[in-house]
Amino acid sequence: MAGLDGSSSIGLISTGIAPEFIRNRNETLLPVDRLVHKAFWGMGHRLLRTATIWHMAKALNITQVKFQWRTCTNDLSHWSEDEKSGPTIFSYLFGDDVFAVTVPRPFGSSLPPQPRRGLDIMVRNDVRGYIGGQTFKNHRLPLLSKVYRHENSPFLEKMASDAEFYRLLWDRFVHKEEVTEFERRNRFEEHFVVGVHLRLGNGELTHFNESGRGVHNEIEFVANITDLLHHFIGKVQADYPRRFDENKTPLIFLATDTPRLVPDIMKSTESFGVPTIVLPQIRAKDNEGVTYEALRGKGGDCLDGWRAMFSDAFLLARSDVVVAARVSTFTQSLPLSAVLEKSETALGPRFCEVSDTATSMTCMEDAAAWLFRDSGRGMITYSTEGGPVEPVVHNVAVLLPDVELAEEFSVLINHLNERSFIHQQKKEETFTYTYGNSE
C-alpha cells in the first residue's frame, strides 16, 4: 500500500477526483459511463465491496452502476439471468441490478450528471485504491490531520457514503414486507432491541478457523455471552434511562449461522427475563457451513437463503444496538453503518464488539469512536469479570480510500479521457475497460 508521508492528496477518491483528471479539453466535466462490479464470496464480503463501488462511481461522476452477483446455479459462469438459470441474486433481492447514481456536484459545479457514452468499466471483486481499515492499524502508520477526525475526513466521508448506499438497498429491497411484518409482530417499537450477530461458522473448518474467528468451546462461549448480555442490558437501563422511553422492555434479536445454538440461547436469556427471537428462515443444515455455500446451486432454496441473510441484516440494522459476538464482515457492513447513524438521536452504546472469551465487550457511540478509538471518547467497556479490562477491538474490515492514488486509477483516468475523445468520433461503439484485477 502507499506510504503516509504527507506528499499525496488524501481526498482524491473520497471527495472527488482532482480536476485535471476529470476535465476534458473544453474544461467541462468528463462524461464517463458505467461501472460494472462482479462480486464474490459471502454477503458481508460482497457488501463492503459493493458499497465501495458506489463511492467510486460518485467520485468519477459516473451515473450508473451494474451489480453482478451471479445466479443460484452451480455454473459459476452465469452472471445474467435466463430461463435456465433464473434471476440473478442481486435482481432477486433488489428488483434490478442496475442502479442510477446521484452524483454530487464536485468542485462547486452546477452541471447535471453526465449521460452514458458507451463505456463500461469492469471491476472484479476487490476495488483498487481502497484498502481494509485494519491495514492502516497493522502498519501503525501515522495519519494526517485531515484524515483523522477532521470534519471532511475522507475516512468518515467514505463511511457516510456506505450508509447512504445501504439506505438505498433498504429502499429497493423487494422483500422488505417480511422484515416490517416481523418487526410489527414482535412489537419492536415497544422494546429496547439488542441485535446480536453470532457467527460461529456452523462447522466451517477452513478459512473461518484460519482467520481466528472460531471458538474453542461453543457451550462455554454461549453461556458467557448470555451472562454478558444480561450484565450489559442492566447497565444500559441504569446509565441511559432515556434509551428506555415509555417503559420499553429489553428484547434480543438473534441472527446466527449456527442454528443449533438458538434453543440454548433462548432458554438462557429467558432465565433473566429477556426473550430472544429469531426470524424463521431456511438455513444450512447443522455443520454444513455458511448459507451461501451450502445452498449454492439449489435454485429457489438458494435465493431464499440470500433473502433471509439480508432480512437478518436489515433487522440488525433496525435494532437499537448491535452486538458483534465475533469478528464478521456481515456486521461491519450494513448493520454497523445503519446503527451508528442513529447516534444523533440518543446517547449511549450503538455497536459493540465481544472478546474472544465473551466475558467483555466494548461499545461505541458513533463512527469516529468505532474507527479511531484513541481517546476513549464515545466508548465504554462492559465486563462480567470484575475489575478493569482492556477494550475489545475487532479487526476493521470496512474499506477506506488509500492515502495515495492507486496506479491503476491514474491509468483508468487516462483511458477515460482517450476513449471519450474516440467516442466522439465513433458514437456507435461500446468499450469495456477492466480496472485492476482481471482474474
Side-chain angles (χ1 to χ4, degrees):
M1 65 163 275
L4 289 173
D5 57 5
S7 60
S8 302
S9 175
I10 197 122
L12 288 177
I13 291 178
S14 65
T15 58
I17 308 305
E20 62 268 27
F21 286 143
I22 65 169
R23 297 186 184 279
N24 65 18
R25 301 182 183 192
N26 296 320
E27 292 300 306
T28 58
L29 289 178
L30 181 67
V32 295
D33 293 330
R34 183 172 73 168
L35 279 171
V36 180
H37 184 243
K38 292 189 173 184
F40 304 90
W41 313 118
M43 177 181 147
H45 183 97
R46 296 188 191 205
L47 273 181
L48 291 176
R49 285 150 183 80
T50 300
T52 298
I53 280 292
W54 178 260
H55 186 264
M56 183 177 176
K58 292 190 297 181
L60 285 169
N61 201 36
I62 291 175
T63 57
Q64 280 192 4
V65 180
K66 182 178 177 67
F67 302 106
Q68 294 192 321
W69 281 24
R70 289 201 176 108
T71 63
C72 266
T73 66
N74 275 321
D75 184 351
L76 299 183
S77 66
H78 272 275
W79 291 97
S80 301
E81 62 183 80
D82 56 38
E83 187 173 337
K84 179 181 178 181
S85 61
T88 64
I89 294 169
F90 198 90
S91 63
Y92 171 77
L93 294 169
F94 303 109
D96 194 357
D97 52 13
V98 176
F99 278 21
V101 181
T102 303
V103 182
R105 305 292 184 263
F107 316 114
S109 169
S110 60
L111 291 176
Q114 301 298 318
R116 294 207 61 226
R117 298 286 294 277
L119 179 68
D120 281 349
I121 303 163
M122 182 71 68
V123 184
R124 296 174 63 84
N125 198 39
D126 289 331
V127 186
R128 297 298 179 91
Y130 297 80
I131 58 177
Q134 191 61 35
T135 302
F136 290 101
K137 294 190 174 186
N138 289 346
H139 288 271
R140 297 182 179 276
L141 298 173
L143 297 178
L144 301 177
S145 60
K146 58 182 174 181
V147 179
Y148 173 74
R149 290 191 186 278
H150 190 272
E151 62 178 348
N152 295 318
S153 163
F155 287 0
L156 295 178
E157 187 272 340
K158 168 58 168 57
M159 293 186 69
S161 174
D162 292 352
E164 172 194 63
F165 177 71
Y166 297 140
R167 288 195 302 271
L168 180 61
L169 288 188
W170 170 248
D171 290 341
R172 299 281 293 268
F173 189 47
V174 174
H175 313 282
K176 67 170 61 177
E177 185 176 342
E178 176 181 51
V179 175
T180 55
E181 171 58 22
F182 183 82
E183 282 185 296
R184 185 199 61 78
R185 189 167 64 250
N186 290 283
R187 300 179 178 178
F188 269 39
E189 74 282 357
E190 297 178 11
H191 296 284
F192 177 79
V193 182
V194 179
V196 178
H197 182 241
L198 184 59
R199 169 88 160 94
L200 291 183
N202 192 32
E204 186 181 353
L205 298 177
T206 53
H207 177 263
F208 186 75
N209 285 331
E210 290 170 2
S211 61
R213 292 185 288 168
V215 298
H216 178 68
N217 186 318
E218 286 186 352
I219 295 176
E220 181 180 341
F221 188 88
V222 166
N224 286 347
I225 197 170
T226 51
D227 284 347
L228 183 60
L229 290 170
H230 185 196
H231 171 74
F232 168 72
I233 289 170
K235 291 290 290 181
V236 173
Q237 283 180 308
D239 296 342
Y240 300 96
R242 290 181 58 190
R243 299 285 292 275
F244 286 84
D245 288 345
E246 300 175 0
N247 298 315
K248 284 187 175 183
T249 56
L251 173 71
I252 294 172
F253 167 70
L254 175 66
T256 182
D257 63 347
T258 310
R260 65 176 174 272
L261 301 177
V262 171
D264 289 341
I265 294 173
M266 285 182 164
K267 182 178 179 181
S268 182
T269 65
E270 286 284 1
S271 70
F272 55 80
V274 178
T276 293
I277 58 174
V278 295
L279 178 70
Q281 61 188 262
I282 187 171
R283 296 183 184 273
K285 294 180 181 178
D286 197 26
N287 284 316
E288 280 197 352
V290 292
T291 301
Y292 90 94
E293 285 188 337
L295 299 180
R296 185 167 58 197
K298 296 184 178 180
D301 284 352
C302 168
L303 292 173
D304 286 345
W306 278 99
R307 186 189 76 231
M309 286 188 284
F310 268 93
S311 294
D312 269 349
F314 283 123
L315 284 165
L316 288 171
R318 294 162 80 81
S319 301
D320 293 286
V321 60
V322 171
V323 175
R326 303 296 292 147
V327 179
S328 173
T329 56
F330 186 102
T331 43
Q332 285 194 26
S333 59
L334 192 157
L336 165 78
S337 182
V339 79
L340 288 181
E341 272 205 307
K342 299 176 183 179
S343 62
E344 297 179 0
T345 61
L347 296 175
R350 289 294 178 182
F351 186 83
C352 305
E353 297 176 343
V354 177
S355 67
D356 289 342
T357 60
T359 55
S360 64
M361 66 181 181
T362 297
C363 301
M364 282 65 64
E365 290 185 355
D366 56 37
W370 177 79
L371 187 59
F372 296 114
R373 310 190 193 205
D374 62 324
S375 64
R377 185 194 67 80
M379 296 170 50
I380 185 168
T381 297
Y382 300 87
S383 173
T384 55
E385 294 181 315
V389 294
E390 289 294 315
V392 180
V393 182
H394 287 182
N395 284 350
V396 177
V398 171
L399 298 174
L400 302 170
D402 201 350
V403 295
E404 282 189 357
L405 196 67
E407 179 181 350
E408 295 90 347
F409 207 83
S410 298
V411 173
L412 167 62
I413 298 300
N414 290 334
H415 186 82
L416 289 173
N417 279 297
E418 176 187 351
R419 287 305 185 189
S420 179
F421 177 74
I422 293 174
H423 194 75
Q424 292 176 20
Q425 319 304 319
K426 302 178 180 180
K427 295 185 179 180
E428 74 282 357
E429 291 193 31
T430 298
F431 300 101
T432 299
Y433 176 84
T434 301
Y435 173 75
N437 246 334
S438 59
E439 299 178 354

